Amino acid sequence: PDNTPLGFWNYLAVYLKSPGAEQTTPASLAISDSAIVQSGVSLTDRDLDEEEIGGKVTWMTSEELLITSFDVYLAPDYAGQSSRSFVGNVSVGVTDLDLPAETPLGNFTHVLVYARSSLSQQTTPSASEINDTFINITNVSFPDYDLDLHEVGGTVSWTPPA
């Protein structure tokens, strides 16, 4: 089964058994433990509202031989052990995913990327902290200099963000 602890074992042995006896010399295979790590996980937040995020989640991977897809989540920590929220899944060969604008930030602090094989999803994700980009415009004014009813005219002014 997936996620079986390897312990100190290095080989897999297969014995044949009949109703009368078990084979004394098994077939054996050296165990090759695979670990896939994505690097450079990032979210470029293009949603300028406070407490909302949106933009492109990107990552890099060095090994795609065993990978069938990638799963992307938002989570309140880097490990994703509790309360993670599924964002999307992309096929192997794709290393980005669009997070829709106006996605509520809630208590999420990290974006997580898990590789998936034909057997299961990896248990330890690659993660990046979320940086909520927001801009406040202040001192907005619009004096209406049009003197007709149901019509406006004038100059809008504001203080640009610092």
Side-chain angles (χ1 to χ4, degrees):
D2 63 329
N3 300 320
T4 300
L6 183 58
F8 58 88
W9 304 108
N10 295 317
Y11 291 90
L12 181 66
V14 179
Y15 292 86
L16 291 178
K17 185 176 182 180
S18 70
E22 182 176 281
Q23 182 180 19
T24 57
T25 306
S28 65
L29 175 68
I31 296 172
S32 173
D33 187 21
S34 299
I36 304 296
V37 177
Q38 296 73 245
S39 62
V41 175
S42 69
L43 166 62
T44 303
D45 183 18
R46 301 271 185 222
D47 186 307
L48 300 179
D49 294 324
E50 189 171 10
E51 297 298 319
E52 293 181 346
I53 55 176
K56 191 171 289 290
V57 179
T58 59
W59 62 91
M60 296 178 292
T61 188
S62 59
E63 178 64 49
E64 293 185 344
L65 182 63
L66 301 173
I67 300 172
T68 58
S69 62
F70 295 97
D71 297 332
V72 178
Y73 293 84
L74 298 177
D77 58 49
Y78 69 91
Q81 298 301 318
S82 65
S83 303
R84 64 183 186 178
S85 177
F86 183 70
V87 174
N89 173 281
V90 296
S91 299
V92 66
V94 178
T95 56
D96 62 65
L97 181 89
D98 288 322
L99 179 67
E102 300 179 1
T103 298
L105 183 59
N107 68 334
F108 301 130
T109 59
H110 289 77
V111 59
L112 313 176
V113 178
Y114 291 83
R116 181 174 286 283
S117 72
S118 60
L119 180 62
S120 69
Q121 181 186 78
Q122 74 183 139
T123 56
T124 305
S126 295
S128 177
E129 194 166 358
I130 296 171
N131 181 14
D132 183 16
T133 303
F134 60 91
I135 295 177
N136 289 322
I137 297 173
T138 59
N139 300 320
V140 178
S141 69
F142 175 72
D144 179 17
Y145 293 117
D146 186 295
L147 302 178
D148 296 319
L149 188 61
H150 305 293
E151 296 177 2
V152 294
T155 301
V156 177
S157 65
W158 64 89
T159 302

